[in-house]
Amino acid sequence: MNALLKSATVVDSKSDFHNQTVDILIEKSRITKISKRISNPNNYKEVKLANLHVSSGWFDSSVSFGEPGFEERETISNGLKTAANSGFTAIALNPNTQPVLDSYADITFVKSKADGAATSLLPIGALTKNSEGTDLAELYDMGNAGAVAFYDYQKPIANPNLAKIALQYASNFNGLICSFPQETKISSLGVVNEHVNSTKLGLKGNPNLAEELQIIRDLFLLEYTEGKLHIPTISTAKSVELIREAKAKKLDVTCSVAIHNLILTDDTLKDFDTNFKVLPPLRTQKDCDALIEGLKDGTIDMVTSDHNPIDIENKKVEFDYAKYGTIGLESAFGALQTIFTTKQTIALLTKGKSRFGVSENSINVGETANLSLFNPDETYTFSISNISSKSKNSAFINKELKGLVYGIISNSKIIL
């Protein structure tokens, strides 16, 4: 793959050309020249786009598609096209499929479905067989097949001894255990944040305490086992404090936050729109502020779209019965830019790679071209027309976003 990017502003703190507007020559998928002006004697494909900015490729640590089993929600093929069009050069795929991805063969299958795609797919294997929380799945075998972590998507590990054994066992091969932060006996039948709005709306509440108790338990287990833990999608101010304290103790823990939990609060629930029914639930502005501060000081390691396509039959129902989840790939960049600078947004979208075994490239001569292309300045109202996912369950519909994504250059392909 050969290409010449014209007048591209580099946003990459690891690049010698950070904040400079340059031409970038790519030959055989490798950056061979970066300069103020580069001629095109070989008639390579030229990429000329308004206010073109480039960064190293973006990564999302929590993405669901549906295939196998829920192809009506999303397929791997269309999901990866959506990720590419949204600026992501790599995504970690959750195992919430049917059958659940809990064996060597399952991991091999989803990897094969992603062959040839511009966006790299990194499968996450189920932690327990069929994600039922009873017996550990084939962690070592799945790791050999290419699983980058082990997680029962949005299902807490109820049995603390099972969590302890998982952390101990995975440490033998440097495996990453993910534990969803929710104590189900506390959260019970709660469907929204337990606060003033849950009372006003007559909806059962899921309190902050349910998340924080589980995190405290998991951090104690982590300290005991000296394992390797990732806590996905935290949502409360206290959770940030707990993880900050754990990191001060040098525990091997990372965490993420879903972009919608940074920006949206439970005030959006007044119309009972099920696109806002997510897990963990949307909390209060106080929690949002603490999460944003946690990202700025490094307590929270990465953001995620927590992209979860849900078919209309499971969203256009009463709030209590609707499935949890919102899509988020298409809106991720524009939403983040409503609360962060472009430099901060790109830093967040490129973090978390090493934790999930993704190589980290910079925009320098000699590096493989792994780039996200975007215009950071254009504002627009996000609508159905901006969605390329099969499912349209976005919490950001009709929201004002800032910044358009042009596409990616990755895996020897240009997607614009």
Side-chain angles (χ1 to χ4, degrees):
M1 184 272 293
N2 304 310
L4 177 60
L5 276 60
K6 301 293 291 184
S7 299
T9 301
V10 176
V11 185
D12 179 4
S13 60
K14 297 178 182 177
S15 171
D16 298 334
F17 300 90
H18 182 47
N19 287 335
Q20 297 181 38
T21 301
V22 294
D23 291 355
I24 302 174
L25 182 63
I26 300 168
E27 297 179 290
K28 296 181 180 179
S29 304
R30 195 168 291 276
I31 299 171
T32 57
K33 187 176 182 180
I34 303 176
S35 183
K36 285 291 182 185
R37 184 177 177 85
I38 301 175
S39 60
N40 191 6
N42 295 316
N43 200 30
Y44 292 152
K45 176 182 175 67
E46 285 197 8
V47 178
K48 293 181 179 179
L49 297 165
N51 195 31
L52 175 61
H53 285 59
V54 297
S55 71
S56 57
W58 304 344
F59 169 66
D60 194 330
S61 62
S62 179
V63 172
S64 303
F65 287 148
E67 186 179 6
F70 300 114
E71 286 84 357
E72 72 278 8
R73 299 178 185 174
E74 187 57 282
T75 62
I76 289 173
S77 174
N78 191 67
L80 289 174
K81 288 177 185 175
T82 298
N85 290 329
S86 303
F88 292 90
T89 60
I91 60 99
L93 181 70
N94 291 312
N96 56 326
T97 53
Q98 188 57 254
V100 168
L101 308 180
D102 64 1
S103 71
Y104 184 102
D106 294 329
I107 299 300
T108 302
F109 170 77
V110 293
K111 286 188 70 178
S112 70
K113 295 289 286 187
D115 283 348
T119 297
S120 299
L121 183 153
L122 295 93
I124 296 174
L127 181 67
T128 63
K129 291 179 181 178
N130 204 35
S131 288
E132 291 175 346
T134 304
D135 300 303
L136 285 185
E138 302 170 7
L139 307 190
Y140 182 73
D141 285 351
M142 286 191 290
N144 286 338
V148 295
F150 308 101
Y151 177 33
D152 292 340
Y153 180 68
Q154 292 190 343
K155 293 182 178 180
I157 310 170
N159 182 345
N161 191 53
L162 187 68
K164 174 180 75 74
I165 292 169
L167 287 163
Q168 290 173 323
Y169 177 62
S171 66
N172 291 310
F173 54 94
N174 198 33
L176 178 63
I177 299 299
C178 303
S179 178
F180 184 66
Q182 181 170 280
E183 204 331 301
T184 51
K185 290 183 176 63
I186 298 290
S187 62
S188 189
L189 300 176
V191 293
V192 298
N193 182 47
E194 184 180 88
H195 200 246
V196 173
N197 284 318
S198 61
T199 304
K200 285 180 179 178
L201 298 169
L203 294 170
K204 295 182 179 68
N206 179 344
N208 291 18
L209 179 65
E211 176 172 307
E212 295 150 8
L213 272 180
Q214 192 80 351
I215 288 177
I216 290 169
R217 187 207 74 173
D218 287 344
L219 291 174
F220 268 113
L221 291 172
L222 179 65
E223 186 171 16
Y224 178 80
T225 60
E226 299 182 348
K228 183 177 178 181
L229 178 67
H230 179 69
I231 302 175
T233 59
I234 68 170
S235 68
T236 80
K238 182 66 174 178
S239 296
V240 179
E241 289 181 27
L242 293 169
I243 292 168
R244 187 178 285 125
E245 291 167 4
K247 288 190 170 188
K249 295 163 75 172
K250 307 298 184 185
L251 299 186
D252 191 356
V253 60
T254 53
C255 67
S256 67
V257 60
I259 293 168
H260 47 265
N261 282 107
L262 290 171
I263 297 168
L264 305 174
T265 71
D266 59 358
D267 290 337
T268 62
L269 300 171
K270 61 183 182 297
D271 295 323
F272 296 90
D273 185 341
T274 58
N275 284 333
F276 299 120
K277 186 179 179 181
V278 292
L279 196 66
L282 301 177
R283 305 286 188 185
T284 67
Q285 190 60 51
K286 176 186 174 184
D287 294 304
C288 290
D289 293 342
L291 293 164
I292 290 168
E293 186 58 36
L295 281 168
K296 288 180 177 179
D297 69 17
T299 299
I300 303 175
D301 300 271
M302 62 198 84
V303 296
T304 173
S305 68
D306 203 23
H307 182 83
N308 189 7
I310 302 295
D311 52 285
I312 193 169
E313 288 80 7
N314 284 296
K315 273 295 186 182
K316 285 273 186 174
V317 293
E318 289 181 47
F319 200 94
D320 277 337
Y321 300 111
K323 285 192 176 294
Y324 293 103
T326 175
I327 57 172
L329 287 171
E330 295 99 321
S331 55
F333 175 64
L336 282 173
Q337 284 225 130
T338 64
I339 54 173
F340 293 109
T341 66
T342 297
K343 181 180 178 182
Q344 289 172 325
T345 295
I346 299 308
L348 292 173
L349 289 171
T350 53
K351 287 182 71 177
K353 293 181 180 181
S354 60
R355 190 64 164 176
F356 287 83
V358 183
S359 58
E360 300 189 63
N361 298 81
S362 62
I363 303 177
N364 284 304
V365 173
E367 291 275 359
T368 299
N370 184 269
L371 308 172
S372 298
L373 285 63
F374 55 96
N375 175 351
D377 296 330
E378 188 163 342
T379 58
Y380 64 103
T381 301
F382 188 77
S383 68
I384 292 288
S385 65
N386 300 110
I387 296 174
S388 53
S389 298
K390 287 184 70 176
S391 297
K392 311 301 179 185
N393 56 306
S394 171
F396 286 99
I397 290 175
N398 296 326
K399 298 289 189 294
E400 289 292 317
L401 304 185
K402 183 183 179 185
L404 294 174
V405 178
Y406 288 130
I408 63 172
I409 298 176
S410 178
N411 289 339
S412 301
K413 290 179 172 58
I414 302 175
I415 304 295
L416 296 174

